[in-house]
Short mmCIF file of all heavy atoms in Angstrom, two decimals:
data_model
loop_
_atom_site.label_atom_id
_atom_site.label_comp_id
_atom_site.label_asym_id
_atom_site.label_seq_id
_atom_site.Cartn_x
_atom_site.Cartn_y
_atom_site.Cartn_z
N TYR A 1 23.07 7.20 33.30
CA TYR A 1 23.04 5.73 33.36
C TYR A 1 22.97 5.15 31.95
O TYR A 1 23.68 4.19 31.62
CB TYR A 1 21.84 5.26 34.17
CG TYR A 1 22.10 5.09 35.65
CD1 TYR A 1 22.26 6.19 36.48
CD2 TYR A 1 22.18 3.83 36.22
CE1 TYR A 1 22.48 6.04 37.84
CE2 TYR A 1 22.41 3.66 37.58
CZ TYR A 1 22.56 4.77 38.39
OH TYR A 1 22.79 4.61 39.72
N GLU A 2 22.09 5.70 31.13
CA GLU A 2 21.91 5.18 29.77
C GLU A 2 23.21 5.24 28.97
O GLU A 2 23.62 4.24 28.35
CB GLU A 2 20.83 5.99 29.06
CG GLU A 2 20.62 5.58 27.61
CD GLU A 2 19.76 6.57 26.83
OE1 GLU A 2 19.38 7.61 27.40
OE2 GLU A 2 19.50 6.30 25.64
N LEU A 3 23.88 6.37 28.99
CA LEU A 3 25.10 6.55 28.19
C LEU A 3 26.23 5.66 28.69
O LEU A 3 26.97 5.07 27.90
CB LEU A 3 25.52 8.02 28.22
CG LEU A 3 24.59 8.99 27.48
CD1 LEU A 3 24.98 10.44 27.80
CD2 LEU A 3 24.63 8.75 25.98
N LEU A 4 26.37 5.57 30.01
CA LEU A 4 27.45 4.75 30.56
C LEU A 4 27.22 3.27 30.29
O LEU A 4 28.12 2.56 29.83
CB LEU A 4 27.58 5.00 32.07
CG LEU A 4 28.11 6.38 32.49
CD1 LEU A 4 28.10 6.52 34.00
CD2 LEU A 4 29.53 6.61 31.96
N LEU A 5 26.03 2.78 30.58
CA LEU A 5 25.75 1.36 30.42
C LEU A 5 25.75 0.95 28.95
O LEU A 5 26.16 -0.15 28.61
CB LEU A 5 24.41 1.01 31.07
CG LEU A 5 24.39 1.13 32.60
CD1 LEU A 5 22.97 0.99 33.14
CD2 LEU A 5 25.29 0.08 33.23
N PHE A 6 25.29 1.85 28.07
CA PHE A 6 25.31 1.53 26.65
C PHE A 6 26.73 1.33 26.14
O PHE A 6 26.98 0.52 25.24
CB PHE A 6 24.62 2.65 25.85
CG PHE A 6 24.51 2.36 24.38
CD1 PHE A 6 23.52 1.50 23.90
CD2 PHE A 6 25.39 2.93 23.46
CE1 PHE A 6 23.42 1.22 22.54
CE2 PHE A 6 25.29 2.66 22.11
CZ PHE A 6 24.30 1.80 21.65
N ASN A 7 27.68 2.05 26.71
CA ASN A 7 29.08 1.93 26.31
C ASN A 7 29.86 0.95 27.18
O ASN A 7 31.10 0.97 27.18
CB ASN A 7 29.76 3.30 26.35
CG ASN A 7 29.31 4.20 25.20
OD1 ASN A 7 29.20 3.75 24.07
ND2 ASN A 7 29.02 5.46 25.50
N GLY A 8 29.15 0.09 27.89
CA GLY A 8 29.80 -0.98 28.64
C GLY A 8 30.54 -0.54 29.88
O GLY A 8 31.40 -1.26 30.38
N LYS A 9 30.21 0.65 30.39
CA LYS A 9 30.90 1.16 31.58
C LYS A 9 30.05 0.96 32.83
O LYS A 9 28.82 0.83 32.74
CB LYS A 9 31.21 2.65 31.40
CG LYS A 9 32.24 2.93 30.30
CD LYS A 9 32.46 4.42 30.11
CE LYS A 9 33.52 4.68 29.03
NZ LYS A 9 34.87 4.36 29.49
N PRO A 10 30.68 0.93 34.00
CA PRO A 10 29.92 0.77 35.24
C PRO A 10 28.99 1.95 35.48
O PRO A 10 29.22 3.05 34.97
CB PRO A 10 31.01 0.71 36.33
CG PRO A 10 32.29 0.44 35.61
CD PRO A 10 32.14 1.02 34.24
N GLU A 11 27.94 1.72 36.24
CA GLU A 11 27.01 2.79 36.60
C GLU A 11 27.73 3.82 37.47
O GLU A 11 28.73 3.50 38.13
CB GLU A 11 25.81 2.21 37.34
CG GLU A 11 26.19 1.48 38.62
CD GLU A 11 25.19 0.40 38.98
OE1 GLU A 11 24.24 0.73 39.71
OE2 GLU A 11 25.37 -0.76 38.56
N PRO A 12 27.28 5.07 37.50
CA PRO A 12 27.97 6.09 38.31
C PRO A 12 27.81 5.80 39.80
O PRO A 12 26.83 5.19 40.23
CB PRO A 12 27.24 7.38 37.92
CG PRO A 12 25.89 6.94 37.48
CD PRO A 12 26.10 5.61 36.81
N ILE A 13 28.78 6.25 40.57
CA ILE A 13 28.75 6.09 42.03
C ILE A 13 28.44 7.46 42.63
O ILE A 13 29.19 8.42 42.42
CB ILE A 13 30.09 5.56 42.56
CG1 ILE A 13 30.42 4.20 41.93
CG2 ILE A 13 30.05 5.44 44.08
CD1 ILE A 13 31.83 3.72 42.21
N VAL A 14 27.35 7.56 43.36
CA VAL A 14 26.96 8.82 43.99
C VAL A 14 27.13 8.68 45.49
O VAL A 14 26.59 7.74 46.10
CB VAL A 14 25.50 9.19 43.65
CG1 VAL A 14 25.12 10.52 44.30
CG2 VAL A 14 25.29 9.24 42.15
N GLU A 15 27.87 9.60 46.09
CA GLU A 15 28.11 9.56 47.54
C GLU A 15 27.77 10.91 48.16
O GLU A 15 27.98 11.96 47.55
CB GLU A 15 29.58 9.24 47.83
CG GLU A 15 30.04 7.90 47.29
CD GLU A 15 31.54 7.73 47.45
OE1 GLU A 15 32.29 8.39 46.69
OE2 GLU A 15 31.95 6.97 48.33
N GLU A 16 27.26 10.86 49.37
CA GLU A 16 26.96 12.06 50.12
C GLU A 16 27.96 12.17 51.26
O GLU A 16 27.92 11.37 52.19
CB GLU A 16 25.52 12.00 50.66
CG GLU A 16 24.82 13.33 50.64
CD GLU A 16 23.34 13.22 51.02
OE1 GLU A 16 22.94 12.20 51.59
OE2 GLU A 16 22.60 14.16 50.74
N TRP A 17 28.88 13.13 51.18
CA TRP A 17 29.83 13.36 52.25
C TRP A 17 29.24 14.36 53.24
O TRP A 17 28.08 14.74 53.13
CB TRP A 17 31.16 13.87 51.67
CG TRP A 17 31.88 12.84 50.83
CD1 TRP A 17 31.41 11.62 50.45
CD2 TRP A 17 33.19 12.95 50.27
NE1 TRP A 17 32.32 10.96 49.67
CE2 TRP A 17 33.43 11.75 49.55
CE3 TRP A 17 34.18 13.93 50.29
CZ2 TRP A 17 34.63 11.52 48.86
CZ3 TRP A 17 35.36 13.71 49.60
CH2 TRP A 17 35.60 12.51 48.91
N ASP A 18 30.03 14.80 54.20
CA ASP A 18 29.51 15.69 55.24
C ASP A 18 29.00 17.01 54.68
O ASP A 18 28.00 17.55 55.16
CB ASP A 18 30.59 15.98 56.28
CG ASP A 18 30.92 14.75 57.13
OD1 ASP A 18 30.07 13.85 57.17
OD2 ASP A 18 32.01 14.71 57.72
N ASP A 19 29.68 17.55 53.67
CA ASP A 19 29.32 18.87 53.18
C ASP A 19 29.23 18.94 51.66
O ASP A 19 29.18 20.01 51.09
CB ASP A 19 30.34 19.90 53.66
CG ASP A 19 31.75 19.61 53.14
OD1 ASP A 19 31.97 18.48 52.64
OD2 ASP A 19 32.61 20.50 53.24
N ARG A 20 29.20 17.80 51.00
CA ARG A 20 29.20 17.82 49.54
C ARG A 20 28.66 16.51 48.99
O ARG A 20 28.57 15.50 49.68
CB ARG A 20 30.61 18.05 49.01
CG ARG A 20 31.59 16.92 49.32
CD ARG A 20 32.99 17.26 48.87
NE ARG A 20 33.46 18.48 49.50
CZ ARG A 20 34.51 19.16 49.08
NH1 ARG A 20 35.19 18.73 48.02
NH2 ARG A 20 34.91 20.25 49.70
N VAL A 21 28.33 16.56 47.70
CA VAL A 21 27.94 15.36 46.95
C VAL A 21 29.06 15.05 45.97
O VAL A 21 29.55 15.95 45.27
CB VAL A 21 26.62 15.58 46.19
CG1 VAL A 21 26.29 14.37 45.31
CG2 VAL A 21 25.48 15.85 47.16
N VAL A 22 29.48 13.80 45.93
CA VAL A 22 30.56 13.37 45.04
C VAL A 22 30.03 12.31 44.08
O VAL A 22 29.47 11.30 44.50
CB VAL A 22 31.75 12.80 45.85
CG1 VAL A 22 32.88 12.38 44.89
CG2 VAL A 22 32.26 13.83 46.85
N VAL A 23 30.21 12.56 42.79
CA VAL A 23 29.81 11.61 41.75
C VAL A 23 31.08 11.09 41.08
O VAL A 23 31.91 11.87 40.63
CB VAL A 23 28.89 12.26 40.71
CG1 VAL A 23 28.45 11.22 39.68
CG2 VAL A 23 27.69 12.91 41.37
N THR A 24 31.20 9.75 41.02
CA THR A 24 32.37 9.13 40.41
C THR A 24 31.96 8.34 39.18
O THR A 24 31.03 7.54 39.23
CB THR A 24 33.07 8.18 41.42
OG1 THR A 24 33.43 8.92 42.59
CG2 THR A 24 34.32 7.58 40.81
N VAL A 25 32.67 8.58 38.08
CA VAL A 25 32.46 7.84 36.84
C VAL A 25 33.75 7.11 36.51
O VAL A 25 34.81 7.75 36.43
CB VAL A 25 32.07 8.78 35.68
CG1 VAL A 25 31.98 8.01 34.37
CG2 VAL A 25 30.75 9.47 35.98
N LYS A 26 33.68 5.80 36.36
CA LYS A 26 34.87 5.00 36.08
C LYS A 26 35.23 5.06 34.60
O LYS A 26 34.36 5.14 33.73
CB LYS A 26 34.65 3.55 36.51
CG LYS A 26 34.45 3.36 38.01
CD LYS A 26 35.70 3.71 38.79
CE LYS A 26 35.55 3.44 40.27
NZ LYS A 26 35.42 2.02 40.60
N LYS A 27 36.52 4.99 34.33
CA LYS A 27 37.02 5.05 32.95
C LYS A 27 36.90 3.71 32.24
O LYS A 27 36.66 3.66 31.03
CB LYS A 27 38.49 5.50 32.99
CG LYS A 27 39.23 5.42 31.67
CD LYS A 27 40.70 5.80 31.87
CE LYS A 27 41.52 5.55 30.64
NZ LYS A 27 42.94 5.90 30.85
N ASN A 28 37.04 2.62 33.00
CA ASN A 28 37.16 1.31 32.38
C ASN A 28 35.86 0.82 31.75
O ASN A 28 34.76 1.21 32.14
CB ASN A 28 37.62 0.27 33.42
CG ASN A 28 36.57 0.05 34.50
OD1 ASN A 28 36.20 0.97 35.22
ND2 ASN A 28 36.07 -1.17 34.61
N ILE A 29 36.00 -0.04 30.76
CA ILE A 29 34.88 -0.74 30.14
C ILE A 29 34.82 -2.13 30.76
O ILE A 29 35.83 -2.83 30.84
CB ILE A 29 35.06 -0.83 28.62
CG1 ILE A 29 34.99 0.57 27.99
CG2 ILE A 29 34.01 -1.73 27.98
CD1 ILE A 29 35.28 0.59 26.50
N ILE A 30 33.63 -2.54 31.20
CA ILE A 30 33.49 -3.86 31.84
C ILE A 30 33.94 -4.96 30.90
O ILE A 30 34.72 -5.84 31.26
CB ILE A 30 32.03 -4.10 32.27
CG1 ILE A 30 31.60 -3.06 33.31
CG2 ILE A 30 31.85 -5.50 32.83
CD1 ILE A 30 32.33 -3.14 34.63
N SER A 31 33.44 -4.94 29.66
CA SER A 31 33.90 -5.88 28.64
C SER A 31 33.52 -5.35 27.27
O SER A 31 32.48 -4.71 27.10
CB SER A 31 33.27 -7.27 28.85
OG SER A 31 31.91 -7.28 28.49
N LYS A 32 34.37 -5.61 26.30
CA LYS A 32 34.11 -5.16 24.93
C LYS A 32 32.89 -5.89 24.35
O LYS A 32 32.15 -5.35 23.53
CB LYS A 32 35.33 -5.41 24.05
CG LYS A 32 36.56 -4.61 24.49
CD LYS A 32 37.77 -4.92 23.64
CE LYS A 32 39.00 -4.14 24.11
NZ LYS A 32 40.20 -4.46 23.32
N GLU A 33 32.69 -7.15 24.79
CA GLU A 33 31.54 -7.92 24.31
C GLU A 33 30.23 -7.28 24.75
O GLU A 33 29.23 -7.31 24.02
CB GLU A 33 31.62 -9.36 24.82
CG GLU A 33 32.67 -10.22 24.14
CD GLU A 33 34.07 -9.95 24.68
OE1 GLU A 33 34.17 -9.26 25.72
OE2 GLU A 33 35.05 -10.41 24.06
N THR A 34 30.23 -6.69 25.95
CA THR A 34 29.02 -6.02 26.43
C THR A 34 28.68 -4.84 25.54
O THR A 34 27.50 -4.58 25.24
CB THR A 34 29.20 -5.55 27.89
OG1 THR A 34 29.50 -6.67 28.71
CG2 THR A 34 27.95 -4.86 28.41
N VAL A 35 29.69 -4.11 25.07
CA VAL A 35 29.46 -2.98 24.17
C VAL A 35 28.82 -3.47 22.88
O VAL A 35 27.86 -2.87 22.37
CB VAL A 35 30.78 -2.24 23.87
CG1 VAL A 35 30.55 -1.09 22.90
CG2 VAL A 35 31.42 -1.74 25.15
N ARG A 36 29.34 -4.57 22.34
CA ARG A 36 28.78 -5.12 21.10
C ARG A 36 27.36 -5.61 21.31
O ARG A 36 26.50 -5.44 20.44
CB ARG A 36 29.68 -6.25 20.61
CG ARG A 36 31.07 -5.79 20.15
CD ARG A 36 32.01 -6.96 19.96
NE ARG A 36 31.46 -7.94 19.04
CZ ARG A 36 31.83 -9.23 19.02
NH1 ARG A 36 32.72 -9.66 19.91
NH2 ARG A 36 31.29 -10.06 18.17
N LEU A 37 27.10 -6.21 22.46
CA LEU A 37 25.75 -6.68 22.78
C LEU A 37 24.77 -5.51 22.81
O LEU A 37 23.68 -5.58 22.21
CB LEU A 37 25.76 -7.41 24.12
CG LEU A 37 24.38 -7.70 24.74
CD1 LEU A 37 23.62 -8.70 23.89
CD2 LEU A 37 24.53 -8.21 26.17
#
């Protein structure tokens, strides 16, 4: 969470499927201004 949010990216998405756990990390940056902030 710390690394993603510090670089302006969305928080990870954690899902529990029937037989597995799936973690999704998005590539996009929410905004460049957030990174500077």
Side-chain angles (χ1 to χ4, degrees):
Y1 270 73
E2 177 192 3
L3 292 170
L4 290 177
L5 293 171
F6 184 78
N7 287 318
K9 293 177 179 287
E11 59 207 270
I13 301 170
V14 181
E15 300 172 287
E16 217 173 17
W17 293 8
D18 290 340
D19 61 347
R20 65 185 59 195
V21 175
V22 181
V23 182
T24 303
V25 175
K26 295 295 183 67
K27 171 184 172 181
N28 66 299
I29 294 175
I30 298 295
S31 73
K32 297 177 181 178
E33 287 79 11
T34 301
V35 179
R36 293 168 56 203
L37 167 67

